[in-house]
Amino acid sequence: MENAVSGAAPAASASYEAPAQTRIGHVHLQVTDIDKALGFYRDILGFQVMQRFGNQAAFISAGGYHHHIGLNTWNSLGGPPARKHGAGLYHTAILYATRAELAGALRQLAAANYPITGSADHGVSEAIYLDDPDGNGVELYWDRPRAQWPLAANGEVQMYTRALDLNALLATA
């Protein structure tokens, strides 16, 4: 393994748990065309451009954060779309704070006539699935409050996949 931590470090503990406040900070996607990617992430999903480096990279965010999504063409300019089979990123998940905010994003997609590939009620969340212009999977979702999550008798979360009523969701926008 390149650059592995070595020396007198103890072996990894199977009981280690990431701290509860740990979050994914951002995602960096290879795209084939910055302008095409910004047409989706900026113009449809509403992210703001925080910094741009010509046709090589753009850093975008919601709410003025330095960046939630990095877009680059360093190894992908003009290349083929993302693979659907094999190892790699399945999708990027974008979390909305409320159901109404998710509905607003769905309304934007509908207004832009942008295709969605699926939707689901997972018990803990409601989700809309689509692909960005480069074929990268994108999930737009909101989490229900924890008190509403479906639980088994032993307290384990019991996620499921059921149909999501998109018209009812749109009605909350």
Side-chain angles (χ1 to χ4, degrees):
M1 179 189 315
E2 283 185 39
N3 298 320
V5 176
S6 62
S13 169
S15 64
Y16 174 78
E17 290 185 10
Q21 296 305 310
T22 301
R23 299 289 179 264
I24 302 291
H26 68 271
V27 63
H28 207 121
L29 300 173
Q30 293 189 133
V31 299
T32 59
D33 181 291
I34 292 294
D35 289 324
K36 184 172 68 171
L38 287 174
F40 173 73
Y41 289 100
R42 179 195 58 209
D43 301 343
I44 296 176
L45 295 187
F47 286 90
Q48 297 84 41
V49 176
M50 301 307 294
Q51 190 168 14
R52 182 170 176 169
F53 297 95
N55 71 346
Q56 293 185 8
F59 296 93
I60 60 177
S61 81
Y65 186 65
H66 58 81
H67 75 287
H68 289 108
I69 303 172
L71 305 166
N72 79 65
T73 59
W74 299 325
N75 298 307
S76 55
L77 182 62
R83 299 180 316 153
K84 288 295 177 199
H85 302 286
L89 181 68
Y90 184 71
H91 67 233
T92 300
I94 299 171
L95 174 64
Y96 291 84
T98 66
R99 189 170 198 257
E101 288 178 2
L102 177 63
L106 178 59
R107 179 172 289 183
Q108 274 292 102
L109 292 168
N113 200 30
Y114 200 90
I116 64 171
T117 59
S119 61
D121 177 345
H122 293 298
V124 298
S125 64
E126 292 180 323
I128 301 163
Y129 299 97
L130 56 148
D131 292 332
D132 77 3
D134 287 296
N136 294 306
V138 178
E139 174 185 359
L140 309 178
Y141 76 106
W142 83 284
D143 277 336
R144 288 188 171 95
R146 267 185 201 241
Q148 295 177 16
W149 289 5
L151 301 175
N154 66 359
E156 184 177 291
V157 175
Q158 295 293 296
M159 291 177 59
Y160 51 76
T161 300
R162 296 182 183 154
L164 176 61
D165 184 342
L166 294 177
N167 290 324
L169 178 60
L170 274 174
T172 67

